Every structure is written in C-alpha cells, then in structure tokens.
Amino acid sequence: GENVEQHPSTLSVQEGDSAVIKCTYSDSASNYFPWYKQELGKGPQLIIDIRSNVGEKKDQRIAVTLNKTAKHFSLHITETQPEDSAVYFCAASAGTGFQKLVFGTGTRLLVSP
Amino acid sequence: DVKVTQSSRYLVKRTGEKVFLECVQDMDHENMFWYRQDPGLGLRLIYFSYDVKMKEKGDIPEGYSVSREKKERFSLILESASTNQTSMYLCASVKGTGGGYGYTFGSGTRLTVV
C-alpha cells in the first residue's frame, strides 16, 4: 500500500525566511496530494492541495510542487510569520475510486520573531 | 460554516471500560474516517465508512469498532479500553467517491486511559 515519508520532523526559521517541507510517496497511482496545518488544540486544516495533472500550485505565500517521476512533493512557505508556527502534514491518496489518504508523520514548524 | 463536531475534547477512562467517541458532520458527506494521532507517528487510520452501515478497516483496527447508523454520525468504540489507546482521536469527513477532495477534520478528542 501507499507509504508517505515527510522531512524534516522539526524546522525552525526566522520570521521572513522561507520554509520548505518535503514528502515522498510510494504508490505511482496516487493522484491527489493535500497539505494540512494543525495549530495547537485544533484539528488539521486543509491549506493547499495539488492533483497529479499539475506540477505546481500557489496560493499567496504558500506553494506546492509535485514531481511525479521522482514521486515527491513539497510545501513552500515564503515570508514566514509567527502565526505560521504549527504542525504541517502532507498526504497522498491511496487506492482507486475512493477518497482515502495516507499521511506523513508531520513537521513542526517554529517561526521566531 | 461547515463542521465536523466531536462530542468530547477530553476524556479520562479506566482500563477495561467501553468507550464511545462520537462524531457528527453537517456537510452531507458520504465518507467518514477515524484516525489516531501520536507524536512521531502522524495520523494513522483506524476505520472508515463510505456509506451508512458500511465500514472498512484501516491500518490499525485492533481493539476498535465503529458504527454508522446515520449518514451524519460515525462512532468509534473502544470495546475494552487499554492504556496503549491513550491518544488523540480525530474524525474527518469528505464528499464523493471519485477522490481528489480534502478532508474536513474535527477538533479531536484527547483520550487518556488510566
């Protein structure tokens, strides 16, 4: 079945710097790759997603890139702010015809003022 | 505002108790999921349901069961709680069967088994 690896497990940056989180997946049939942000005491919230027919997607300060050949995808956050501090999860779809996601182990991002 | 609501934020139960975790969604979603979240392990799928009265085992179903009698409600049952089931439990839902949509998560239930 699908396996998703996520790196790094923790990431500390200064406010204004960029942050990059990387994930790899194993199932070449995966076609949907969402990213979630989890703030303290809350459930994960979808922040951006990308489908396999697209190589890059951007939404203001966040962007996601997908390399299907290498089976990896990345989250890029530019001009980081303290409120970006959270745990970020990547995920990849598993199986066909059904919405099942396999999640990475999470990255704790700390943005220092 | 669309919502997935988990009935309890915090629960403390004793070893051997039968525990019910409730989840309700108001988005008319077909698919519902129960995950547990543990540090360093990410989110692991316990059970999911793609229709009323339908259920499928996820990656770690041992010690758990589920019930989905109505479309909006998905319950997770710990038949006999054990200390290794101390964890954060997250419910999620998503529409459709074709894939390519993001989940909506509840806020989670932090369960402690003593």
Side-chain angles (χ1 to χ4, degrees), chain B residues 4-29:
Chain B
V4 175
T5 302
Q6 295 184 231
S7 55
S8 304
R9 291 300 303 273
Y10 301 95
L11 277 178
V12 180
K13 296 293 182 180
R14 295 195 178 277
T15 301
E17 276 193 77
K18 190 169 187 176
V19 181
F20 294 85
L21 303 184
E22 305 289 343
C23 175
V24 177
Q25 51 97 1
D26 64 1
M27 297 166 284
D28 201 36
H29 284 172

Side-chain angles (χ1 to χ4, degrees), chain A residues 31-32 34 36 38 41-46 49 51 87 89 93 96-106, chain B residues 9 31 33 35 37 40-43 45 48 50 59 90 94-103 105-107:
Chain A
N31 58 11
Y32 176 65
Y36 289 83
Q38 186 178 27
K42 297 182 179 180
Q45 183 173 15
L46 178 69
D49 57 13
R51 289 167 173 75
V87 178
F89 292 96
S93 60
T96 56
F98 183 73
Q99 183 64 68
K100 180 182 172 183
L101 296 177
V102 177
F103 286 83
T105 50
Chain B
R9 291 300 303 273
N31 309 302
F33 307 82
Y35 284 86
Q37 181 178 10
L41 299 177
L43 279 66
L45 182 62
F48 60 97
Y50 52 89
D59 300 317
L90 290 164
V94 69
K95 67 179 180 180
T97 58
Y101 301 102
Y103 291 179
F105 280 92
S107 296

Side-chain angles (χ1 to χ4, degrees), chain A residues 12-18 78-84 110-113:
Chain A
S12 295
V13 300
Q14 293 290 319
E15 182 176 0
D17 288 349
S18 294
T78 59
E79 301 173 20
T80 54
Q81 302 168 3
E83 51 265 39
D84 294 329
L110 176 62
V111 181
S112 302

